[in-house]
């Protein structure tokens, strides 16, 4: 679920990344609420949310974080990387559960756990990391990231630093 930055003129990168947080949350919540729908399309919906989250983490770690001031953000960035690792492992487990035919109850519980991890992560990332992002990247760099956010794909086989 790529964010179309060009549709929000004047929107900052922080706003675009925050918007993607919400879109991913909504997609997972939608999956949890749609227990009466066709299982195949539900599974597809969840897998799309998972791959959007993986790509979001990729853009943060490979593109955005490296521009941020290490001196002041070393600790928060360490925490962000560690939590990305937890999210990554949780997504691996969720994909396995989907393929392994876990019960709906189990999958919904797994989603709930993923959502709590996300809430904990995003509630720090949005106020601590994202405001620095708009300040630290040049206009050109911001345009490049916006371009990736709008359509870039996760490179095959990429995993996050602390996965
Ligand atoms: Fe994020
Ligand atoms: Fe993050």
């Amino acid at each position: 679920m790529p964010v179309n930055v060009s549709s929000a003129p004047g929107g900052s990168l922080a706003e675009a990344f925050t918007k993607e947080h919400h879109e991913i949350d909504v997609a997972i919540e939608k999956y949890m609420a749609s227990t009466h729908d066709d299982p195949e399309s539900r599974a597809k919906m969840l897998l799309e949310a998972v791959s959007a989250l993986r790509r979001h983490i990729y853009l943060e770690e490979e593109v955005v974080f490296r521009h941020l001031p290490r001196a002041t953000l070393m600790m928060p960035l360490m925490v962000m990387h560690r939590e990305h690792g937890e999210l990554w492992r949780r997504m691996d487990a969720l994909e396995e559960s989907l393929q392994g035919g876990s019960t709906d109850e189990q999958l919904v519980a797994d989603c709930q756990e993923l959502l709590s991890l996300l809430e904990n992560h995003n509630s720090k990332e949005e106020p601590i990391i994202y405001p620095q992002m708009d300040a630290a990247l040049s206009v050109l760099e911001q345009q490049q990231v916006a371009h990736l956010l709008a359509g870039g794909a996760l490179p095959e086989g990429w995993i996050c630093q602390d996965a």
Side-chain angles (χ1 to χ4, degrees):
M1 96 207 26
V3 172
N4 186 357
V5 174
S6 61
S7 71
S12 69
L13 271 186
E15 283 167 11
F17 273 83
T18 301
K19 188 167 169 245
E20 193 163 66
H21 282 172
H22 295 307
E23 287 172 350
I24 291 167
D25 286 350
V26 166
I28 299 169
E29 281 159 5
K30 224 167 136 186
Y31 170 84
M32 292 166 70
S34 65
T35 45
H36 298 299
D37 292 0
D38 160 50
E40 222 171 277
S41 53
R42 285 186 73 221
K44 190 169 170 268
M45 187 198 298
L46 185 57
L47 288 173
E48 277 173 10
V50 164
S51 66
L53 179 54
R54 291 194 197 274
R55 200 192 62 122
H56 181 95
I57 291 174
Y58 161 70
L59 289 177
E60 288 178 350
E61 292 200 4
E62 292 289 342
V63 185
V64 175
F65 287 2
R66 63 179 55 187
H67 292 285
L68 302 180
R70 293 269 142 193
T72 47
L73 288 179
M74 198 173 81
M75 280 306 290
L77 285 174
M78 255 174 68
V79 174
M80 292 299 103
H81 276 116
R82 200 185 59 219
E83 291 179 356
H84 286 170
E86 283 171 33
L87 288 164
W88 203 269
R89 290 189 295 275
R90 171 61 47 197
M91 288 189 281
D92 286 343
L94 196 53
E95 283 183 334
E96 262 176 46
S97 300
L98 265 177
Q99 281 158 6
S102 289
T103 61
D104 247 2
E105 237 173 25
Q106 185 56 49
L107 283 164
V108 166
D110 289 349
C111 285
Q112 190 59 61
E113 202 169 320
L114 181 62
L115 278 179
S116 340
L117 283 177
L118 276 173
E119 199 196 340
N120 178 52
H121 179 72
N122 296 346
S123 69
K124 288 177 287 201
E125 192 168 63
E126 287 173 16
I128 299 169
I129 303 291
Y130 284 1
Q132 303 283 330
M133 186 156 95
D134 288 332
L137 273 72
S138 72
V139 172
L140 181 65
E141 287 163 346
Q142 291 202 32
Q143 282 170 352
Q144 286 167 344
V145 178
H147 185 71
L148 284 171
L149 199 54
L154 178 76
E156 182 80 28
W158 187 87
I159 56 169
C160 70
Q161 183 185 292
D162 294 348

